[in-house]
PDB file of all heavy atoms in Angstrom:
ATOM      1  N   VAL I 433       6.229  -9.594  -4.872  1.00  0.00           N
ATOM      2  CA  VAL I 433       4.841  -9.306  -4.472  1.00  0.00           C
ATOM      3  C   VAL I 433       4.053  -8.770  -5.660  1.00  0.00           C
ATOM      4  O   VAL I 433       2.877  -9.032  -5.819  1.00  0.00           O
ATOM      5  CB  VAL I 433       4.823  -8.270  -3.326  1.00  0.00           C
ATOM      6  CG1 VAL I 433       3.412  -7.726  -3.113  1.00  0.00           C
ATOM      7  CG2 VAL I 433       5.337  -8.906  -2.046  1.00  0.00           C
ATOM      8  N   HIS I 434       4.748  -8.012  -6.532  1.00  0.00           N
ATOM      9  CA  HIS I 434       4.072  -7.440  -7.688  1.00  0.00           C
ATOM     10  C   HIS I 434       3.961  -8.485  -8.778  1.00  0.00           C
ATOM     11  O   HIS I 434       4.930  -9.151  -9.111  1.00  0.00           O
ATOM     12  CB  HIS I 434       4.850  -6.234  -8.232  1.00  0.00           C
ATOM     13  CG  HIS I 434       5.358  -5.335  -7.152  1.00  0.00           C
ATOM     14  ND1 HIS I 434       4.530  -4.795  -6.214  1.00  0.00           N
ATOM     15  CD2 HIS I 434       6.606  -4.900  -6.860  1.00  0.00           C
ATOM     16  CE1 HIS I 434       5.243  -4.046  -5.396  1.00  0.00           C
ATOM     17  NE2 HIS I 434       6.494  -4.110  -5.756  1.00  0.00           N
ATOM     18  N   LYS I 435       2.804  -8.623  -9.339  1.00  0.00           N
ATOM     19  CA  LYS I 435       2.612  -9.532 -10.459  1.00  0.00           C
ATOM     20  C   LYS I 435       3.127  -8.857 -11.721  1.00  0.00           C
ATOM     21  O   LYS I 435       2.858  -7.701 -11.976  1.00  0.00           O
ATOM     22  CB  LYS I 435       1.128  -9.881 -10.628  1.00  0.00           C
ATOM     23  CG  LYS I 435       0.545 -10.585  -9.416  1.00  0.00           C
ATOM     24  CD  LYS I 435      -0.927 -10.875  -9.640  1.00  0.00           C
ATOM     25  CE  LYS I 435      -1.527 -11.541  -8.411  1.00  0.00           C
ATOM     26  NZ  LYS I 435      -2.972 -11.786  -8.571  1.00  0.00           N
ATOM     27  N   THR I 436       3.906  -9.609 -12.500  1.00  0.00           N
ATOM     28  CA  THR I 436       4.403  -9.066 -13.751  1.00  0.00           C
ATOM     29  C   THR I 436       3.329  -9.206 -14.803  1.00  0.00           C
ATOM     30  O   THR I 436       2.905 -10.307 -15.141  1.00  0.00           O
ATOM     31  CB  THR I 436       5.676  -9.820 -14.186  1.00  0.00           C
ATOM     32  OG1 THR I 436       6.645  -9.706 -13.146  1.00  0.00           O
ATOM     33  CG2 THR I 436       6.237  -9.242 -15.468  1.00  0.00           C
ATOM     34  N   THR I 437       2.885  -8.093 -15.346  1.00  0.00           N
ATOM     35  CA  THR I 437       1.806  -8.094 -16.319  1.00  0.00           C
ATOM     36  C   THR I 437       2.267  -7.364 -17.570  1.00  0.00           C
ATOM     37  O   THR I 437       2.819  -6.273 -17.488  1.00  0.00           O
ATOM     38  CB  THR I 437       0.562  -7.383 -15.745  1.00  0.00           C
ATOM     39  OG1 THR I 437       0.219  -8.001 -14.508  1.00  0.00           O
ATOM     40  CG2 THR I 437      -0.616  -7.478 -16.701  1.00  0.00           C
ATOM     41  N   ALA I 438       2.068  -7.978 -18.707  1.00  0.00           N
ATOM     42  CA  ALA I 438       2.417  -7.313 -19.958  1.00  0.00           C
ATOM     43  C   ALA I 438       1.509  -6.099 -20.151  1.00  0.00           C
ATOM     44  O   ALA I 438       0.294  -6.220 -20.155  1.00  0.00           O
ATOM     45  CB  ALA I 438       2.268  -8.282 -21.131  1.00  0.00           C
ATOM     46  N   GLN I 439       2.135  -4.927 -20.300  1.00  0.00           N
ATOM     47  CA  GLN I 439       1.361  -3.687 -20.398  1.00  0.00           C
ATOM     48  C   GLN I 439       1.339  -3.218 -21.846  1.00  0.00           C
ATOM     49  O   GLN I 439       1.946  -2.228 -22.214  1.00  0.00           O
ATOM     50  CB  GLN I 439       2.007  -2.622 -19.498  1.00  0.00           C
ATOM     51  CG  GLN I 439       2.471  -3.176 -18.177  1.00  0.00           C
ATOM     52  CD  GLN I 439       1.662  -2.665 -17.024  1.00  0.00           C
ATOM     53  OE1 GLN I 439       0.574  -2.141 -17.185  1.00  0.00           O
ATOM     54  NE2 GLN I 439       2.177  -2.794 -15.845  1.00  0.00           N
ATOM     55  N   ILE I 440       0.660  -3.977 -22.680  1.00  0.00           N
ATOM     56  CA  ILE I 440       0.629  -3.658 -24.097  1.00  0.00           C
ATOM     57  C   ILE I 440      -0.478  -2.643 -24.385  1.00  0.00           C
ATOM     58  O   ILE I 440      -1.624  -2.841 -23.990  1.00  0.00           O
ATOM     59  CB  ILE I 440       0.403  -4.926 -24.948  1.00  0.00           C
ATOM     60  CG1 ILE I 440       1.583  -5.890 -24.760  1.00  0.00           C
ATOM     61  CG2 ILE I 440       0.236  -4.567 -26.419  1.00  0.00           C
ATOM     62  CD1 ILE I 440       2.877  -5.400 -25.335  1.00  0.00           C
ATOM     63  N   ALA I 441      -0.105  -1.581 -25.068  1.00  0.00           N
ATOM     64  CA  ALA I 441      -1.110  -0.616 -25.487  1.00  0.00           C
ATOM     65  C   ALA I 441      -1.785  -1.133 -26.748  1.00  0.00           C
ATOM     66  O   ALA I 441      -1.154  -1.758 -27.593  1.00  0.00           O
ATOM     67  CB  ALA I 441      -0.468   0.734 -25.767  1.00  0.00           C
ATOM     68  N   GLY I 442      -3.065  -0.882 -26.893  1.00  0.00           N
ATOM     69  CA  GLY I 442      -3.768  -1.356 -28.081  1.00  0.00           C
ATOM     70  C   GLY I 442      -5.167  -0.805 -28.126  1.00  0.00           C
ATOM     71  O   GLY I 442      -5.583  -0.007 -27.294  1.00  0.00           O
ATOM     72  N   THR I 443      -5.903  -1.247 -29.112  1.00  0.00           N
ATOM     73  CA  THR I 443      -7.281  -0.794 -29.291  1.00  0.00           C
ATOM     74  C   THR I 443      -8.217  -1.894 -28.856  1.00  0.00           C
ATOM     75  O   THR I 443      -8.117  -3.030 -29.313  1.00  0.00           O
ATOM     76  CB  THR I 443      -7.542  -0.441 -30.762  1.00  0.00           C
ATOM     77  OG1 THR I 443      -6.620   0.565 -31.155  1.00  0.00           O
ATOM     78  CG2 THR I 443      -8.958   0.084 -30.947  1.00  0.00           C
ATOM     79  N   ASN I 444      -9.126  -1.609 -27.948  1.00  0.00           N
ATOM     80  CA  ASN I 444     -10.102  -2.589 -27.493  1.00  0.00           C
ATOM     81  C   ASN I 444     -10.974  -3.022 -28.666  1.00  0.00           C
ATOM     82  O   ASN I 444     -11.295  -2.231 -29.557  1.00  0.00           O
ATOM     83  CB  ASN I 444     -10.949  -1.963 -26.380  1.00  0.00           C
ATOM     84  CG  ASN I 444     -11.884  -2.958 -25.733  1.00  0.00           C
ATOM     85  OD1 ASN I 444     -12.914  -3.311 -26.293  1.00  0.00           O
ATOM     86  ND2 ASN I 444     -11.524  -3.405 -24.539  1.00  0.00           N
ATOM     87  N   LEU I 445     -11.401  -4.304 -28.634  1.00  0.00           N
ATOM     88  CA  LEU I 445     -12.235  -4.874 -29.690  1.00  0.00           C
ATOM     89  C   LEU I 445     -13.466  -4.011 -29.977  1.00  0.00           C
ATOM     90  O   LEU I 445     -13.903  -3.879 -31.123  1.00  0.00           O
ATOM     91  CB  LEU I 445     -12.654  -6.292 -29.280  1.00  0.00           C
ATOM     92  CG  LEU I 445     -13.610  -7.050 -30.193  1.00  0.00           C
ATOM     93  CD1 LEU I 445     -12.910  -7.400 -31.510  1.00  0.00           C
ATOM     94  CD2 LEU I 445     -14.105  -8.324 -29.506  1.00  0.00           C
ATOM     95  N   PHE I 446     -14.028  -3.409 -28.888  1.00  0.00           N
ATOM     96  CA  PHE I 446     -15.285  -2.688 -29.027  1.00  0.00           C
ATOM     97  C   PHE I 446     -15.111  -1.186 -29.299  1.00  0.00           C
ATOM     98  O   PHE I 446     -16.090  -0.480 -29.512  1.00  0.00           O
ATOM     99  CB  PHE I 446     -16.142  -2.880 -27.778  1.00  0.00           C
ATOM    100  CG  PHE I 446     -16.607  -4.296 -27.586  1.00  0.00           C
ATOM    101  CD1 PHE I 446     -15.909  -5.168 -26.762  1.00  0.00           C
ATOM    102  CD2 PHE I 446     -17.740  -4.762 -28.237  1.00  0.00           C
ATOM    103  CE1 PHE I 446     -16.339  -6.471 -26.584  1.00  0.00           C
ATOM    104  CE2 PHE I 446     -18.176  -6.061 -28.076  1.00  0.00           C
ATOM    105  CZ  PHE I 446     -17.477  -6.924 -27.244  1.00  0.00           C
ATOM    106  N   ALA I 447     -13.842  -0.680 -29.250  1.00  0.00           N
ATOM    107  CA  ALA I 447     -13.631   0.757 -29.449  1.00  0.00           C
ATOM    108  C   ALA I 447     -14.164   1.252 -30.793  1.00  0.00           C
ATOM    109  O   ALA I 447     -14.839   2.284 -30.851  1.00  0.00           O
ATOM    110  CB  ALA I 447     -12.150   1.092 -29.278  1.00  0.00           C
ATOM    111  N   PRO I 448     -13.882   0.554 -31.917  1.00  0.00           N
ATOM    112  CA  PRO I 448     -14.426   1.032 -33.201  1.00  0.00           C
ATOM    113  C   PRO I 448     -15.958   1.054 -33.226  1.00  0.00           C
ATOM    114  O   PRO I 448     -16.559   1.896 -33.903  1.00  0.00           O
ATOM    115  CB  PRO I 448     -13.873   0.016 -34.215  1.00  0.00           C
ATOM    116  CG  PRO I 448     -12.659  -0.563 -33.555  1.00  0.00           C
ATOM    117  CD  PRO I 448     -13.004  -0.617 -32.105  1.00  0.00           C
ATOM    118  N   LEU I 449     -16.581   0.120 -32.469  1.00  0.00           N
ATOM    119  CA  LEU I 449     -18.043   0.072 -32.411  1.00  0.00           C
ATOM    120  C   LEU I 449     -18.598   1.352 -31.793  1.00  0.00           C
ATOM    121  O   LEU I 449     -19.596   1.917 -32.264  1.00  0.00           O
ATOM    122  CB  LEU I 449     -18.492  -1.158 -31.615  1.00  0.00           C
ATOM    123  CG  LEU I 449     -19.999  -1.411 -31.534  1.00  0.00           C
ATOM    124  CD1 LEU I 449     -20.536  -1.812 -32.903  1.00  0.00           C
ATOM    125  CD2 LEU I 449     -20.297  -2.506 -30.504  1.00  0.00           C
ATOM    126  N   VAL I 450     -17.946   1.825 -30.714  1.00  0.00           N
ATOM    127  CA  VAL I 450     -18.381   3.061 -30.053  1.00  0.00           C
ATOM    128  C   VAL I 450     -18.179   4.252 -30.981  1.00  0.00           C
ATOM    129  O   VAL I 450     -19.025   5.160 -31.058  1.00  0.00           O
ATOM    130  CB  VAL I 450     -17.621   3.251 -28.722  1.00  0.00           C
ATOM    131  CG1 VAL I 450     -17.964   4.601 -28.115  1.00  0.00           C
ATOM    132  CG2 VAL I 450     -17.957   2.135 -27.749  1.00  0.00           C
ATOM    133  N   GLU I 451     -17.051   4.250 -31.698  1.00  0.00           N
ATOM    134  CA  GLU I 451     -16.791   5.363 -32.623  1.00  0.00           C
ATOM    135  C   GLU I 451     -17.861   5.421 -33.713  1.00  0.00           C
ATOM    136  O   GLU I 451     -18.272   6.509 -34.151  1.00  0.00           O
ATOM    137  CB  GLU I 451     -15.414   5.194 -33.251  1.00  0.00           C
ATOM    138  CG  GLU I 451     -14.264   5.382 -32.265  1.00  0.00           C
ATOM    139  CD  GLU I 451     -12.903   5.141 -32.905  1.00  0.00           C
ATOM    140  OE1 GLU I 451     -12.859   4.992 -34.150  1.00  0.00           O
ATOM    141  OE2 GLU I 451     -11.909   5.086 -32.171  1.00  0.00           O
ATOM    142  N   LYS I 452     -18.350   4.264 -34.160  1.00  0.00           N
ATOM    143  CA  LYS I 452     -19.317   4.221 -35.262  1.00  0.00           C
ATOM    144  C   LYS I 452     -20.742   4.473 -34.792  1.00  0.00           C
ATOM    145  O   LYS I 452     -21.485   5.248 -35.413  1.00  0.00           O
ATOM    146  CB  LYS I 452     -19.228   2.853 -35.948  1.00  0.00           C
ATOM    147  CG  LYS I 452     -20.170   2.709 -37.138  1.00  0.00           C
ATOM    148  CD  LYS I 452     -19.991   1.341 -37.800  1.00  0.00           C
ATOM    149  CE  LYS I 452     -20.941   1.190 -38.996  1.00  0.00           C
ATOM    150  NZ  LYS I 452     -20.796  -0.138 -39.647  1.00  0.00           N
TER     151      LYS I 452
END
Side-chain angles (χ1 to χ4, degrees):
V433 167
H434 317 305
K435 299 179 182 178
T436 302
T437 305
Q439 319 249 17
I440 297 292
T443 302
N444 187 283
L445 176 68
F446 294 96
L449 184 69
V450 174
E451 291 177 9
K452 181 178 180 181

